[in-house]
Amino acid sequence: ERFVCFDTETTGLAGGVGTKAFMIGTAQWRDGALVTRQLYLTALRGEAAMLSAFAGALPDDAILVSYNGRSYDVPLLKGRYRIHRQQHPFEERDHVDLLHPTRRAYRGVWENCRLATIERNVLGVVRDDDLPGAQAPAAWLAFLRGQESDSLGRVLTHNRIDVQSLASLLRHFSDSPCVGAAPV
């Protein structure tokens, strides 16, 4: 229950000051059930509140779990916390980035180690009508402009499956006999 899987949906992949996380999803085991939680911006001015809610919901002893989070999600979020003059929740918590053990285990087995590839081949997750990540920023902006919300629903589904897959992948590696061979 200490493991908190998290993933962001952002306004772009370039990073930098102009890139915002408009959605943060989490998945955590509680009393034997996987509980997901998604925070997303319904207005640009809500970013500070979303960041505060994410940090505030993390248990003090949480171990964060991500997929490429050390290189992308965490640096992006640290920057957003800094802009809002808030303390980020990353320094005092351990962090398991599942991309690295996944690469050790599956590099060269399939065409790549993208989460969607690992979901399909390792976890048996097949996404129906998944909104490609590149379309997520446009879907969110359309929602903010009041143009339509169906695509934002698809972004929410995409993010929920991402964090659920992280929990499944963590379980996969914890059940694997070779986990103790190299640090995760």
Side-chain angles (χ1 to χ4, degrees):
E1 293 191 0
R2 291 179 56 203
F3 291 97
V4 179
C5 302
F6 77 100
D7 185 53
T8 62
E9 303 303 327
T10 66
T11 58
L13 295 176
V17 176
T19 303
K20 294 182 186 309
F22 65 85
M23 184 179 298
I24 305 172
T26 63
Q28 181 180 10
W29 291 99
R30 291 193 184 139
D31 299 322
L34 187 64
V35 177
T36 59
R37 181 175 190 224
Q38 292 172 290
L39 305 167
Y40 64 96
L41 297 179
T42 59
L44 289 172
R45 68 183 178 276
E47 184 178 37
M50 180 183 75
L51 294 170
S52 179
F54 172 68
L58 293 174
D60 291 337
D61 64 347
I63 299 170
L64 298 171
V65 179
S66 67
Y67 203 85
N68 199 31
R70 282 197 188 277
S71 297
Y72 184 73
D73 301 87
V74 169
L76 176 84
L77 288 172
K78 281 182 177 180
R80 301 314 300 173
Y81 278 100
R82 200 171 12 251
I83 285 170
H84 292 287
R85 294 189 172 107
Q86 293 183 21
Q87 181 68 31
H88 66 77
F90 302 108
E91 295 301 327
E92 63 271 5
R93 291 180 176 84
D94 290 328
H95 182 175
V96 177
D97 188 332
L98 290 174
L99 174 61
H100 306 290
T102 299
R103 281 183 176 160
R104 282 194 301 271
Y106 298 110
R107 178 175 283 154
V109 176
W110 294 294
E111 67 275 15
N112 59 51
C113 287
R114 292 178 49 234
L115 183 57
T117 303
I118 301 306
E119 285 175 338
R120 186 175 55 254
N121 294 304
V122 176
L123 304 175
V125 173
V126 178
R127 296 185 185 220
D128 294 322
D129 194 35
D130 188 42
L131 185 75
Q135 294 178 18
W140 176 67
L141 289 171
F143 167 76
L144 286 183
R145 293 179 185 130
Q147 295 169 340
E148 64 105 5
S149 60
D150 290 344
S151 292
L152 182 64
R154 292 174 65 203
V155 176
L156 283 159
T157 299
H158 174 93
N159 179 264
R160 180 179 43 79
I161 294 170
D162 280 351
V163 295
Q164 290 172 338
S165 290
L166 289 177
S168 295
L169 189 57
L170 183 66
R171 177 169 276 167
H172 167 77
F173 280 121
S174 70
D175 291 344
S176 173
C178 65
V179 166
V184 179

